[in-house]
Amino acid sequence: MAVAWSEKASSMEALSLSPPMSPPVILTQDELKKIAAYKAVEFVESGMVLGLGTGSTAKHAVDRIGELLRQGRLTNIIGIPTSKKTQEQAISLGIPLSDLDSYPTIDLAIDGADEVDPHLNLVKGRGGSLLREKMVEGACKKFVCIVDESKLVKYLGGSGLAMPVEVVPFCWKFTANKLQNLFRDSGCVAKLRNDCKGEPFVTDNGNYIVDLYLKKDIGDLQVASDAILRIAGVVEHGMFLDMATTVIVAGELGITIKNK
């Protein structure tokens, strides 16, 4: 009996000395965005002209670029901001800035997205900067898009959230009705975007945004794009078709890099 008790005690002691199993680490959505952003900044090299994106994910990338400049690990960087907000952030970080007039070709742009489909087409602009983002990212040799896995969709508009269209303020209701009728078969509802005060949201360019909410796939995206842009009163839409060269997706299981 004494031997048996001794063995049992030793066994219990061994169990008590075993390190407790660590609970799984659950990352927040913002932490996932930061991971993707830092990975994207690994593409940045000294001497580059960079398109600086706008939004909660791109903000992490701009912060990281500023940090590497301060550390001397990056030098001779020129940033082209895609919004007034990003411009202010970059200035506060000491990132030298310019514009497309001075640098019509950009080496690399880093920005987030609101949706990414399996073909790396994007929806952008829920932050309101879609026109400047499209101008800058359309001028770059390489466009790295950074998202967390919640932004992956089967088709653009598939999240049920807004597909933004920037419109001139003049007779915006007329333009919104045209947009809604254009995608009537997809169950489209067009709504003017308002700010926190309930007033029309005004972009950096002095325009309004009409958000399209879709219940079904709108079909051929290039056909849809062309149809939207043919409506008088439309400035630009938030579909970024065949523009991203790389998409970095941060998820619970790690980083996934998708290339064109």
Side-chain angles (χ1 to χ4, degrees):
M1 287 290 293
V3 173
W5 174 253
S6 176
E7 289 175 350
K8 184 176 180 181
S10 298
S11 175
M12 290 178 67
E13 183 179 4
L15 284 172
S16 67
L17 293 174
S18 299
M21 291 190 64
S22 301
V25 177
I26 299 176
L27 299 175
T28 66
Q29 188 178 35
D30 191 61
E31 287 169 333
L32 292 174
K33 291 177 180 180
K34 188 172 184 178
I35 290 169
Y38 276 45
K39 186 66 178 178
V41 174
E42 293 179 10
F43 287 85
V44 178
E45 297 176 5
S46 293
M48 279 187 166
V49 178
L50 299 175
L52 304 178
T54 297
S56 58
T57 308
K59 180 181 182 299
H60 290 303
V62 177
D63 282 340
R64 179 61 171 164
I65 292 165
E67 180 182 15
L68 294 176
L69 279 171
R70 287 194 305 275
Q71 294 172 353
R73 295 164 65 185
L74 283 177
T75 58
N76 196 28
I77 292 293
I78 300 292
I80 313 292
T82 55
S83 66
K84 292 178 180 178
K85 187 173 183 180
T86 299
Q87 180 179 358
E88 292 169 359
Q89 179 193 5
I91 289 171
S92 73
L93 295 169
I95 300 174
L97 298 180
S98 190
D99 56 34
L100 287 172
D101 291 337
S102 301
Y103 293 91
T105 302
I106 297 171
D107 295 304
L108 169 69
I110 299 174
D111 205 353
D114 302 306
E115 293 183 357
V116 181
D117 78 4
H119 305 290
L120 307 191
N121 296 310
L122 317 174
V123 168
K124 291 176 52 57
R126 289 179 190 154
S129 302
L130 61 102
L131 176 59
R132 297 190 187 191
E133 287 173 335
K134 190 169 283 190
M135 290 177 69
V136 170
E137 286 146 19
C140 63
K141 298 175 185 176
K142 187 176 182 67
F143 172 24
V144 178
C145 179
I146 46 180
V147 296
D148 67 86
E149 60 189 354
S150 71
K151 304 299 172 61
L152 302 180
V153 295
K154 292 181 179 178
Y155 60 88
L156 294 193
S159 68
L161 301 176
M163 181 182 291
V165 181
E166 187 161 342
V167 304
V168 297
F170 175 73
C171 294
W172 67 265
K173 290 182 182 178
F174 170 83
T175 308
N177 287 334
K178 287 275 190 179
L179 289 165
Q180 184 165 296
N181 289 333
L182 183 63
F183 299 112
R184 183 172 55 249
D185 292 343
S186 297
C188 178
V189 176
K191 296 181 180 180
L192 181 71
R193 183 180 301 183
N194 291 324
D195 61 19
C196 59
K197 298 178 182 178
E199 298 295 323
F201 175 88
V202 179
T203 71
D204 286 346
N205 317 298
N207 296 315
Y208 290 173
I209 287 183
V210 172
D211 288 321
L212 307 183
Y213 295 88
L214 304 163
K215 294 182 179 178
K216 299 178 184 176
D217 190 340
I218 58 175
D220 189 310
L221 297 177
Q222 193 58 60
V223 170
S225 169
D226 293 344
I228 292 172
L229 295 175
R230 281 197 298 268
I231 296 175
V234 167
V235 178
E236 189 52 88
H237 60 70
M239 290 188 291
F240 285 50
L241 307 181
D242 199 30
M243 290 180 65
T245 53
T246 300
V247 175
I248 297 176
V249 184
E252 291 295 340
L253 300 179
I255 290 283
T256 302
I257 299 179
K258 303 173 183 285
N259 293 304
K260 275 288 187 186

